[in-house]
Every structure is written in structure tokens, then in C-alpha cells.
Amino acid sequence: MTRGGRGQGAVVVLPRAGRSFARGDEDDEMTSALTENPHVLAFVAEMAKLCQPDRIHWCDGSEEERRRLTAQAVDAGVLIPLNQKKMPGCYLHRSNPNDVARVEHLTFICTPTREEAGSTNNWMAPDQAYSKLRGLFDGSMKGRTMYVVPYIMGPAGSPMAKIGIELTDSIYVALSMRVMTRMGQVALDMLGGGDDFNRGLHSMLDINPDRRFICHFPQDNAIWSCGSNYGGNVLLGKKCLALRIGSYLGKTEGWLAEHMLILGVESPEGQTTYVAAAFPSACGKTNFAMMIPPARFNGWRVTTVGDDIAWLRVGEDGRLWAINPESGYFGVAPGTSALSNPNALATVRKDTIFTNVAMTPDGEVWWEGMTEVPPPELIDWQGRPWTPQSGEKAAHPNSRFCAPMANNPVLSKMADDPAGVPISAIIFGGRRATTVPLVLQSFHWTHGVFLGATMGSETTAAATGKVGVVRRDPMAMLPFCGYDMGEYLAHWLRMRGSISHPPKIFLVNWFRKSGDGRFLWPGFGENMRVLKWIVDRAHVRVGGRETPVGWVPRQGDLDLSFLNVTSDDFDAAAHVDTAEWQVELEALKEWFDHIGPTLPPALELQRRLMLAIIQAGVGG
Ligand code: OXD
Ligand code: MN
């Protein structure tokens, strides 16, 4: 391999005779790379030798490159231009109908031993995974371009940021990574000559579920993904690096990679309090992160730092500081409306790549829940004519928007700050029809970790045939923890030792129902009322009532003015029913047994303590 000076025709000649690769013009035989970093060049050369692409394109992340790749994607039918007058820079991608979501059953943590991956992950031995996938990658990019996508997770120059290089044969991935990450030359500049970067390899192959594998090698800081072109499986910076590999790095380096939004709550006096919140996938994280407070909260503002992922480190001041490693939103489209999230609608009006939404005759987008009355005719997510009488969904239920965070009207001015923001409160949220009150504050860190470790959502009849079965999703990390779950919870407990000013921890549940099946709480912007109590508790300036399972607000503690909720409904939403909690705490034994022998004893003791207190009839 040879190379010249950067910007002066740097050349990378790969072992295949006569092949050399470049920035810009892919047909040029002798062209330049964007870096002299020998580790990066060796990685690209080795993977190109395996995958045998016809061309290699080094992404520089420029606007000019975006325009050129977009035009190529349109020519190739990968992107469909939307109405450029009404939605400038917006495009629609239709995925293969067999490839519309993350595939947890095909996602593997490839640690040397099964125990390191733990009882909640699929495991494959690294040698076996590499050899199986090497067979699939062999020659997989013949006739295709390999895009070299250097990217930063986190603001450029942040001590909390990490660098990745994703090699992919998907132009959709290259363009989406430019939205979701700080991509291109900026990442290579930050890396310099270093070797500390995530090595990601992705090939769509023939988009066949039989050849679909998402493999993580935490010890190698590597990800190999094949057979899919769906965001969560292939935008390797997101779930794969920022959460699965990130959580492993966090354990070994003493920080936390979490499935959490980050928002700022600005008071009328100008004080901003930062909050991180974990909710399971598709439970309204993006809506919460962009919330518009109700009219009653004149002068209050919520600003978004991130909508999906938080990296948290202890600062020199002993507080927990968070960055959002992403620079865009890969949000679920259905249900996003002027009522649920006007800021998201504004965000996706330009420079957005939509996947599997429906298209109006005028070249705009539509999805279920966007408007109360659907348009009379549409092209559905599979490109077929659709009318409300079709009897099928126009947009796929997991259709997505991929939009730059810079478009968000309520983007926090701290979203790009390399230092991150100090977190005063952590919220865990599940979807529970019973038992879990509207909001609960933990007594202390260990109790808070317990609440996070046991959060869950009830399955619905439609999904499983069994109502009321709780799927536990600790810290909303069940599909995203890159190592053993018990060790992960132990890491959370250990972190307390280095946080001298820990955030307060809360559990919320917007989904509690009355005996006759009504939601007791309106949700959406009204969640601001709960958020304000949380912020006030974090600053120790509002009251609450102690119950055996945590602190809850009393009627007067939460601002309920101009709210269409009866005081009976509020009481029912906030109620701690000790009989229900007894059942809950007893049922948790099974979940803890499932986590296995690495479950921290402190969490089992916490369970027994709460149970003993309830059985003794104390409080309630
Ligand atoms: C998810 C997502 O599945 O953010 O959690 O896409
Ligand atoms: Mn998510």
C-alpha cells in the first residue's frame, strides 16, 4: 500500500491489481484518500480485499458530496424525491418488505464466553461469528461501491466522543450516517494517526433474512452487519456502537451508555435543569424530548439535547454529565402529529430521509396518526395505490424519519457542547396499565437502580394473545446491552461511588388505566406537570408523600390547574396500591432469577426489603 500527502493526491492501492481509490471521482484510477492514518488504511484495505468492491468512495461529509450521492441514489431508485418546493432536501426510501425493523433474534454479542454476553443476549463465539460472516462478506461487494464512512459519536473534540469507521455498500447508509453522526473529514481529523476507532463492516448482501446477522465484538471494538438495510441494523453508530459496544466500553472505562433522551427544562426565571429519561422503544421518547408545555406553563420551555441515546460520565464537579452521541433523529413516524409532536413535524420539513412512509399525490408524506382523516388517496409504503378503503396501513408501523437535529425548533443550545450537560434527574418509564403510579421518586441510588432494573411494559392482547404479561426491559436496554445484564446493573450500582452529587431517580407511567379501561392521564404536553414536579424534587423545593415503594406527589404538589382530569382520576393515577405491589415484587423474583447469578445481591435485598415493609403493613 502506498499513500501520498493529504489533499495532494493521496493514493491507496489495494491488493487487487489496478485498483485504487479516491475521494470524489470514483472512476479515477489514481486518486486520494482523506487520511494517512495507517490503521484506517489497513482496515479499509483488508475489508476491501474480503468484499471486493468495484469502487471505494471515501466520504468527506461535504454538502457537495451529499448532493452528488443523493443524485446517484435517486438515479439508482434508492431514493425517491419528495415535493422539493414543500419539503426541500427530503427523500423517500422504500425498504425491502422483509427488512423493516431491528432483528433482535439475529443480533449477537460475540464475547469469548457465553457468560460475558449474559442470559438476555444471543451469543456466538467470536471465531465462529467471524468465520461465518467472512464467508458471507466474501466478494459481497462485487459490482458495488464500498463507502468508507468515518464518523464521530458525540460533538467533535468532546472528551466523551468516540470515533467509528463504517464500511458499507449501501448509499442509503452513507447518506443517513451523514444525518445521524458528525461524518467525514471531521472524524478523520479528530482521529489523527490513532488506532482507537470502532471498525464497522456492513453489506446488504441480497437482503435475505437467512443471511442476516448483526454481530458485535466488544473486545475488538468491531461490528459486522449483513443482510439488512434497515436503520437500526445498519447505521452502525446508533444502536450497535452507541449502545451495545458503548455499554461495554462504559463498563471498562467507568461511564454509562444509555438508551435515554436528554432534555433541558427552562423555568420562567431562566434556570435550566437537565434530565435524562429511558423509555422502551416506540414509547414516545422523541415526543417527550420535544415536548411543548401546556399554556398554563407560560414561560416554561423544554429543549432537546437528544432523543434516543445518552453517554454519561462523572465530571470533575462530581455530577453526572451527558452528551447525545448522535446528531440526528431516527424517529418512528406513525403517531407523530400536530397534537403529539409539532416540533418533530417541523423538524422533518427539510433535509429528511423518510423510510417506508406513504406518499401523497403531491409528493408529500403521510402516516397513520398524522391527521385524523387520512387523505383520499396515497401511494403506500410498498409503492402501491392506497385509499382509506384498502384495509391496510398506508405507512409501515415502523416507518421512520431520519432528520438533522439542527432542524429542531427547540434544539438545546448545549446539544453540540463538547462538555455535555449536567444531569439533575434520571427518569425510567414503562407502559403499565396497573401498579406503577404516574410518578415515583426513589429513596436513593440503589433503590433507583432497582426501579430501572425492573421497569417493564405490559403486552397487549393484539401482540401476544396474553394480556398483562410484563416484559421487563431494564433501563430500556434489554435489546441494547452489550454484555451480561447482571454485570451491567452492578456497574450502575458501582457508579454511585464516584458520583458525589448523584441525580435523583424517578419512575413514571403515563399509561395507567382505570378499572373500565380508560387512560387516567392525558399524556403528551400535560406530562410537563409531572416533569415540573421531578425538576422541583431534584432541587428539593416541593413536597411529596412517602410510600413503601417511593415518594409520590400529593394533590397540591403537582400543578393540576386547567387540566381536564378529575381529582379522583389523578388520585387513581398516582396511587400506590400495596396489594398490587406485593404481587409485583413477588413476581420480580422470576425476572431476577432469569438475569442469573450475576444479579447484584443489593437488588434482591432491595426487593425483599420492599416486600417485607409491605407485608408488615407499614405505610401505603
Ligand atoms: C429503537 C430506536 O428501536 O430508537 O429504540 O429505533
Ligand atoms: Mn431507541
Side-chain angles (χ1 to χ4, degrees), residues 426-448:
I426 288 176
I427 302 176
F428 295 120
R431 180 185 269 269
R432 298 291 301 270
T434 66
T435 317
V436 177
L438 180 61
V439 57
L440 189 67
Q441 182 186 351
S442 66
F443 296 124
H444 46 71
W445 184 265
T446 303
H447 181 225

Side-chain angles (χ1 to χ4, degrees), residues 102 238-239 259 281 308 400 480:
R102 284 186 294 100
K238 193 176 177 65
K239 302 300 187 183
H259 193 198
S281 303
D308 195 40
R400 298 280 175 147
F480 305 121

Side-chain angles (χ1 to χ4, degrees), residues 93 175 281 357 561:
H93 172 73
L175 285 163
S281 303
V357 301
S561 51

